[in-house]
Amino acid sequence: MVATGLLLRNLGVVVIILISAFLVLQSPLFHSEVRPRELHSSKLSSVELDSVLDVRTQDDFVSLAARSSHEDSPVKNYTSGHRHDKRVLVMSYDFAVCKGTVLWNDIQAAFNGQRPPGQQFGRDDFDSSWTLAPDSGQLPTGGHWEDPFKSFTTAGAVPVGPSISGRAANQDKSFKNVAGRQVALPTKASYKLEYVPGWSAMLATFVQSPSKRLTDSDDSPYGHAVAAKDIPTLIPPMHRLSDVSWYVWSTLTANPGQLRYIGHDFVTTGDTTSIMEYLQIAKLGDDDDDLPWPGLVYDINSDEAKAMLATPNSLSIAYIMMDHAAVLGRRHPKVHIFKSGRGIWCMLWDLVPV
């Protein structure tokens, strides 16, 4: 009898545990996931807004959610629908839409004069740490950029056959760090772009930032990968693609505000291509290499365009709009994603004037 009683008691405990587990799994709290379109700046504190813009990995967003200032914050309740190998962190689609939404809100605030521009850099800043060299001066081989640029001409918005000014900005000078107390080694970073003022366009063909060089043990001038906490003291104040490309662009045209098209050739960054592949599969049902111009086109009001805005290859475009809104005027972007003949991803942002 005693044994039977103990058995029944244990079975009762097991049943209670199973029921409790079932109820927890059904709880909205357990499954709380904010749809990307619900993440608006009006629902976020200023600290959260700044933090979202700095987020780089899925774990960063989880950490941000844990520190959220109020319980009903969309960030507080955000959970990813994807799991990723910790060794290869790739941005999920929902995460990208959330970050892109905040970026677009900030861009619109800049257009409305409600957000101050970022730091403005000039010739002295550039010359103190960068040099400018002629580059190819021609569109990438393969023909996959001919149709996009022909479409600009056909539309009658730009003249036929404009000159292409290839420029490579190379970070090949020693410089004083941000604190001005220590001389840092050249990172050998390089930004190569084809600038086409006649088409109101610039096209990035090779991008390797100072921070990227420092985190790669094979490329770092210090002979080893630099710890993330030390990078800010070992890169020049003017180091972002947005700042360098805008400066070069402004030296090649008397009217930098005419800039409309910004493209990236040969996109291989994992956080960017993962979103592009997600969009191709969602739209076409496959990730076939055959996706010629005009490819897939998304207006900035869509979740898809906001996800693309958050990708590493588009961040420079977001910050060009934010930091130079007064010169550019109000824009309503759309993005084309397509593939070269070799199946390599390309993107082109059309910053449509409003």
Side-chain angles (χ1 to χ4, degrees), residues 5-21:
L6 288 173
L7 178 60
L8 291 174
R9 184 187 304 173
N10 290 338
L11 286 174
V13 170
V14 171
V15 170
I16 291 172
I17 292 174
L18 290 174
I19 292 174
S20 299

Side-chain angles (χ1 to χ4, degrees), residues 27-42:
S27 169
L29 292 175
F30 187 86
H31 289 281
S32 62
E33 178 171 350
V34 171
R35 293 302 304 157
R37 65 180 62 88
E38 295 176 10
L39 184 61
H40 299 295
S41 60
S42 61

Side-chain angles (χ1 to χ4, degrees), residues 207-281:
V207 173
Q208 191 173 47
S209 68
S211 58
K212 174 64 176 175
R213 293 280 301 185
L214 294 179
T215 56
D216 191 320
S217 58
D218 293 331
D219 294 331
S220 172
Y222 298 95
H224 59 83
V226 174
K229 65 180 179 62
D230 296 325
I231 287 178
T233 65
L234 298 174
I235 55 178
M238 186 181 187
H239 61 271
R240 296 184 180 90
L241 174 60
S242 58
D243 296 322
V244 173
S245 60
W246 177 265
Y247 167 75
V248 177
W249 169 257
S250 66
T251 67
L252 297 173
T253 174
N255 181 19
Q258 72 175 330
L259 178 62
R260 175 164 174 176
Y261 306 100
I262 307 179
H264 274 270
D265 183 53
F266 206 80
V267 178
T268 58
T269 305
D271 275 349
T272 304
T273 58
S274 65
I275 299 300
M276 295 168 125
E277 289 166 2
Y278 179 98
L279 295 178
Q280 182 183 5
I281 293 172

Side-chain angles (χ1 to χ4, degrees), residues 127-194:
D127 289 346
S128 67
S129 51
W130 296 81
T131 59
L132 194 61
D135 199 40
S136 65
Q138 60 186 8
L139 297 181
T141 58
H144 52 286
W145 283 101
E146 291 180 5
D147 286 340
F149 286 110
K150 282 180 181 177
S151 69
F152 304 161
T153 304
T154 303
V158 291
V160 177
S163 61
I164 300 173
S165 301
R167 296 290 187 274
N170 301 310
Q171 205 289 288
D172 53 7
K173 294 181 180 179
S174 296
F175 57 92
K176 288 186 177 180
N177 67 9
V178 290
R181 295 193 299 264
Q182 172 188 338
V183 175
L185 296 175
T187 64
K188 301 298 183 181
S190 184
Y191 296 134
K192 297 181 180 180
L193 291 91
E194 305 300 331

Side-chain angles (χ1 to χ4, degrees), residues 82-154:
H82 301 73
R83 290 183 179 273
H84 300 293
D85 190 319
K86 295 295 182 183
R87 293 167 298 178
V88 185
L89 286 167
V90 178
M91 186 185 297
S92 75
Y93 176 71
D94 283 352
F95 171 81
V97 177
C98 286
K99 185 175 179 181
T101 300
V102 176
L103 281 166
W104 177 233
N105 288 341
D106 265 20
I107 292 168
Q108 293 180 94
F111 289 152
N112 294 329
Q114 298 169 341
R115 182 186 189 277
Q119 183 176 356
Q120 304 293 296
F121 295 96
R123 179 172 180 175
D124 290 345
D125 302 295
F126 184 88
D127 289 346
S128 67
S129 51
W130 296 81
T131 59
L132 194 61
D135 199 40
S136 65
Q138 60 186 8
L139 297 181
T141 58
H144 52 286
W145 283 101
E146 291 180 5
D147 286 340
F149 286 110
K150 282 180 181 177
S151 69
F152 304 161
T153 304
T154 303

Side-chain angles (χ1 to χ4, degrees), residues 267-337:
V267 178
T268 58
T269 305
D271 275 349
T272 304
T273 58
S274 65
I275 299 300
M276 295 168 125
E277 289 166 2
Y278 179 98
L279 295 178
Q280 182 183 5
I281 293 172
K283 182 73 173 180
L284 304 178
D286 61 52
D287 59 353
D288 193 89
D289 284 347
D290 185 23
L291 187 62
W293 175 266
L296 304 177
V297 188
Y298 301 104
D299 180 273
I300 193 59
N301 287 334
S302 68
D303 284 353
E304 292 87 348
K306 292 184 178 73
M308 285 302 304
L309 189 65
T311 61
N313 293 78
S314 297
L315 283 176
S316 61
I317 299 158
Y319 281 100
I320 283 176
M321 287 190 283
M322 271 191 266
D323 293 340
H324 305 285
V327 177
L328 290 168
R330 187 180 296 276
R331 302 299 181 96
H332 189 90
K334 61 181 179 180
V335 61
H336 294 254
I337 63 172

